Amino acid sequence: MPDVFIRGQRIRLTANRVIGQGGEADIYDIGKGTAVKLYKPPDHPDFRGLPNEQEGARRRIKEIQAKLREFPKNLPPRIVAPTELVTNEAGDKILGYAMKFLSGAEVLLRYGERKFREQGGISNQLVEEIFQDLHSTVLKTHDKGVVFGDFNDLNILVRGSEAYIVDIDSCQF
C-alpha cells in the first residue's frame, strides 16, 4: 500500500486501519478523529480482469482532480465533507481526501430493522427526530446549490438523534 500525503505530511495507510470498503474507494481511520477516503486506482486488485471497472476508476480519478479542488465550503455541519486533499508525494495528483471520522455511529439502514430498534431501546420519537435532523441538513445543503448524487440509507450515519451524510463527493454543485 503506497504512502499518501496530506499537506506534504506522509501518512502510512495499512490494511488494519481500514474501516470501510466500497466499489470505488477504501476508508481508513488515521487517528485524531480523521478518516481518509482513498480511491481505488485502475490497477487495484478488485478490478483485475474487469476492463469496465478499470476504465471507471480511470475516469473517477481524472474527475476528482478538479472536482475535489473546487468542492463547496461552508456546508451544514452534518455533511461529512472533505477537509483536506490526499495526494501523492509530489502533491500533483489527488488520490482521495480526509474527513471527520464519526465514531459510535450506525448506518441509517439499521433503523429499519425492528430487532435493532427494540434491542437498542430506540423509540419512534427518536426515529422521527433523526429524520427531522436529516431533512434539515438536506434542505440546507440544497440551499447551497449542492445536489446529492448517492443518497441512500448506507450513506447516512446516525449518532444519537443526529444524521450525518457521508459519501458526499458524489454530489453535484
Side-chain angles (χ1 to χ4, degrees), residues 78 130-131 133-134 137 156-159 161-165:
R78 304 264 202 282
I130 291 166
F131 277 95
D133 185 67
L134 177 60
T137 297
I156 299 165
L157 299 179
V158 177
R159 192 166 59 185
S161 62
E162 299 173 340
Y164 294 83
I165 301 173

Side-chain angles (χ1 to χ4, degrees), residues 92-118:
D92 60 355
K93 184 175 182 184
I94 297 173
L95 306 174
Y97 62 89
M99 63 188 150
K100 177 181 176 179
F101 173 59
L102 291 173
S103 61
E106 186 65 65
V107 293
L108 182 63
L109 174 72
R110 298 291 314 276
Y111 288 76
E113 301 169 11
R114 172 176 265 159
K115 186 175 181 179
F116 173 77
R117 288 193 317 272
E118 288 173 353

Side-chain angles (χ1 to χ4, degrees), residues 7 34-35 81-85 97-100:
R7 278 199 253 143
T34 303
T83 56
E84 298 286 345
L85 298 178
Y97 62 89
M99 63 188 150
K100 177 181 176 179

Side-chain angles (χ1 to χ4, degrees), residues 46-61:
D46 287 359
F47 302 143
R48 191 169 292 129
L50 302 169
N52 290 339
E53 283 77 358
Q54 291 169 339
E55 181 55 31
R58 268 188 216 83
R59 277 185 275 128
R60 192 169 23 262
I61 297 286

